[in-house]
Amino acid sequence: MWNWFFKLASPPHFYALAGKLSYWLLVPAILLLAIGTWGGLILAPPDYQQGDAFRIIYVHVPSAYLSMLIYVTMAVAGAIGLIWRIKLAHAVAASCAPIGASFTFAALVTGAVWGKPMWGTYWEWDPRLTAELILLFLYFGYMGLRGAFENLTQADRASAVLAIAGVVNVPIIHFSVIWWASLHQGPTLSKLEAPSISGDMLWPLLTMILAFTLFFLGILAMRVRAEVLEREVQSRWAQDMLRGASPVGVDL
Amino acid sequence: MNGILAVDGYTGYLVIAYGVTALVVVGNLVAARRQFRRVHLRLREQLERRSGRRPVPGSSQASGRVGGAGGNEATVGRNQ
């Protein structure tokens, strides 16, 4: 187990593995995205209260879930990098930020677009919405902080501390609808023993969540490869690889 | 037929929501590919400049280098 972990943390091994993984994650992700979109837009019946507007759930919920998952991944990777000084962990954390920021943006926009016909407003300073907006600012802050340092080691450490400190916002986002009176609807999926959604509507949602997760992992693998290459440019394996006749593009 | 073809006045909202998500998905894919290509190319060029060797075939410096083998950074430039 530890051997496998240490082997995985080795940059050349990870670089090679990530090249293959990005392909094997992105292809099923795109297929599942197509199936989930078809299921959500065409096959799922309209909601008895919200009509067809509820179909925004198939892009809003996976985006919001991913925004939190990516932040937790970034914070855990940052902590691993800080504690065990594993460079690869910092590369993972740095690669998470732009992906996480983009999906947080998608969650906010799709939420606003869903809010207008249902609540009568695009935005309300509701605990869930506000906490999600803070998450977007945390991603921006993380990227800005990284960019402010010339020294990579300092950038890694400072941004890891910010990521770890900011992770407290994730349970606030998740539980805000339970802790405070909120305009946002309560949990639907986390009550797995009795989900508040019909099976006809549920399967496309689960498909989309799986597709988004695979997509994130595939994109992360691509981004970490570039990050690893940049950090390892002084090492023999990276120089050999750069000098070789390997194609410039990613394995896609 | 239920679904997108019979949306009850919410077409605009659905188009915006799915459109923005599609942009984010495609944007992530394109950005990740570009980042890898850019880093790969830049590092190759740096390596060539540092080593002063003949450029790696396929790199942007392959046709722009004026210095030959055994040159150093001061002698290596681009024809611009």
Side-chain angles (χ1 to χ4, degrees), chain B residues 50-67:
Chain B
R50 217 177 293 161
S51 63
R53 290 180 192 162
R54 283 195 309 143
V56 176
S59 79
S60 65
Q61 280 200 339
S63 59
R65 182 184 289 267
V66 292

Side-chain angles (χ1 to χ4, degrees), chain A residues 3 17 38 51 57 94 98 101 107 127-128 161 205 212 217 228 235-236:
Chain A
N3 279 345
L17 182 69
W38 174 262
I57 199 173
R128 168 65 69 88
V161 170
L205 183 56
F212 273 58
L217 294 173
V228 164
S235 63
R236 184 66 188 244

Side-chain angles (χ1 to χ4, degrees), chain A residues 116-170:
Chain A
K116 182 62 180 169
M118 293 303 116
W119 303 337
T121 179
Y122 286 109
W123 183 261
E124 183 66 42
W125 291 103
D126 171 274
R128 168 65 69 88
L129 276 65
T130 309
E132 186 73 14
L133 183 64
I134 291 171
L135 187 71
L136 182 64
F137 293 153
L138 279 168
Y139 278 121
F140 288 157
Y142 179 91
M143 290 187 283
L145 187 64
R146 287 197 66 82
F149 286 94
E150 289 275 324
N151 183 296
L152 190 62
T153 310
Q154 286 179 342
D156 283 342
R157 286 184 189 160
S159 57
V161 170
L162 176 64
I164 294 164
V167 83
V168 71
N169 189 44
V170 173

Side-chain angles (χ1 to χ4, degrees), chain A residues 15 26 30 33 37 40-42 44-46 50-53 55-56 58-59 63 98-99 102-103 105-106 109-110 113 116-118 122 208 212 215 219 222-223 225-227 229-230 233-234 239 241-244 246-250 252, chain B residues 1-48 50-53 55-59:
Chain A
Y15 183 87
L26 287 172
I30 289 165
L33 272 176
T37 304
L41 286 177
I42 309 291
Q50 300 191 26
D52 286 304
R55 297 181 196 283
I56 295 175
Y58 297 112
V59 285
S63 298
I99 314 172
S102 65
F103 279 102
F105 172 76
V109 172
T110 54
V113 169
K116 182 62 180 169
M118 293 303 116
Y122 286 109
M208 289 295 265
F212 273 58
F215 182 79
I219 293 292
M222 285 168 79
R223 281 193 173 272
R225 285 186 93 206
E227 191 75 32
L229 200 58
E230 195 148 26
V233 71
Q234 301 298 337
Q239 294 190 1
M241 203 280 301
L242 286 164
R243 283 198 186 101
S246 61
V248 175
V250 291
L252 248 185
Chain B
M1 181 180 173
N2 285 329
I4 190 74
L5 298 179
V7 287
D8 42 8
Y10 298 119
T11 315
Y13 298 112
L14 285 172
V15 167
I16 294 170
Y18 278 79
V20 167
T21 309
L23 278 177
V24 166
V25 167
V26 174
N28 266 296
L29 205 57
V30 171
R33 277 182 70 101
R34 275 195 185 164
Q35 182 201 18
F36 186 84
R37 283 168 187 269
R38 204 176 51 238
V39 167
H40 201 288
L41 207 63
R42 181 165 50 77
L43 295 180
R44 272 175 94 169
E45 288 180 359
Q46 273 179 15
L47 205 60
E48 286 162 15
R50 217 177 293 161
S51 63
R53 290 180 192 162
V56 176
S59 79

